Amino acid sequence: MNGSDSRMGGLIRRLMVVALAATMGLFALPATAAQAATWRSATATGWGPSPASGQQNAASNARAALTSLAASLGETCSNVTVPAPRHLYTAPDGSAYIYEATATGYCVAAPLPSYTVARSATRQGGGATSTIAIQNGSQAARADILAAGVACTNWATNSSQVYSAPDGSWHVYNVTVSALCTN
């Protein structure tokens, strides 16, 4: 092996160590670092029967487009600005003015919901089988919990038999559903 080959082998080994260290570093970063705040922009058009309404509609549509973009990325935006919209077209008869606007804002990852409120509901469910009766009671109890308009996690279901027809054709269960919900 000549000197050039050993230097090349050493270079390759060093590059592999650097690549491995960089790869390991990527996996060691917390999730929030990967979702750093950033400036985002969205462009939209709008029209109206006057220049002022065309500009206003373009600006509103650009803000809505930025909000939609941020939501699709799990972000919310602040410091949103929309410079004066750019005129694109005027209908020959003057009945429509079309403008284009760009909204720019500082977008950050939306905070994760805090599931701190314990909620529960009990409903009775009936059905031709015990499984169907429990499912019907569970579905009604979940609906009661979610009627408050909240998000929930850690769902748990407990049931107790109330009645069963002598011929087994009908079953009734009390079903209690509990969960941790946002406030």
Side-chain angles (χ1 to χ4, degrees), residues 97-138:
Y97 297 85
I98 301 173
Y99 286 83
E100 177 182 75
T102 300
T104 301
Y106 190 67
C107 303
V108 296
L112 295 174
S114 177
Y115 298 99
T116 57
V117 179
R119 295 185 187 271
S120 67
T122 301
R123 292 292 296 267
Q124 221 171 56
T129 68
S130 59
T131 302
I132 292 173
I134 292 168
Q135 286 175 349
N136 289 340
S138 176

Side-chain angles (χ1 to χ4, degrees), residues 23-165:
T23 302
M24 293 302 288
L26 289 176
F27 292 113
L29 289 176
T32 54
Q35 301 170 353
T38 188
W39 287 95
R40 297 203 186 279
S41 296
T43 301
T45 59
W47 72 275
S50 68
S53 64
Q55 290 173 357
Q56 183 178 10
N57 290 333
S60 293
N61 292 344
R63 284 179 186 275
L66 179 61
T67 300
S68 178
L69 171 65
S72 73
L73 298 171
E75 298 174 347
T76 58
C77 299
S78 61
N79 299 327
V80 176
T81 60
V82 181
R86 180 174 67 98
H87 179 256
L88 294 178
Y89 178 76
T90 300
D93 64 357
S95 63
Y97 297 85
I98 301 173
Y99 286 83
E100 177 182 75
T102 300
T104 301
Y106 190 67
C107 303
V108 296
L112 295 174
S114 177
Y115 298 99
T116 57
V117 179
R119 295 185 187 271
S120 67
T122 301
R123 292 292 296 267
Q124 221 171 56
T129 68
S130 59
T131 302
I132 292 173
I134 292 168
Q135 286 175 349
N136 289 340
S138 176
Q139 185 178 22
R142 278 180 178 251
D144 286 350
I145 291 172
L146 293 174
V150 295
C152 300
T153 188
N154 295 340
W155 292 92
T157 304
N158 293 308
S159 60
S160 60
Q161 185 176 19
V162 174
Y163 172 78
S164 186

Side-chain angles (χ1 to χ4, degrees), residues 163-182:
Y163 172 78
S164 186
D167 64 356
S169 63
W170 193 252
H171 303 269
V172 178
Y173 279 79
N174 280 338
V175 182
T176 300
V177 174
S178 59
L180 283 177
C181 304
T182 58

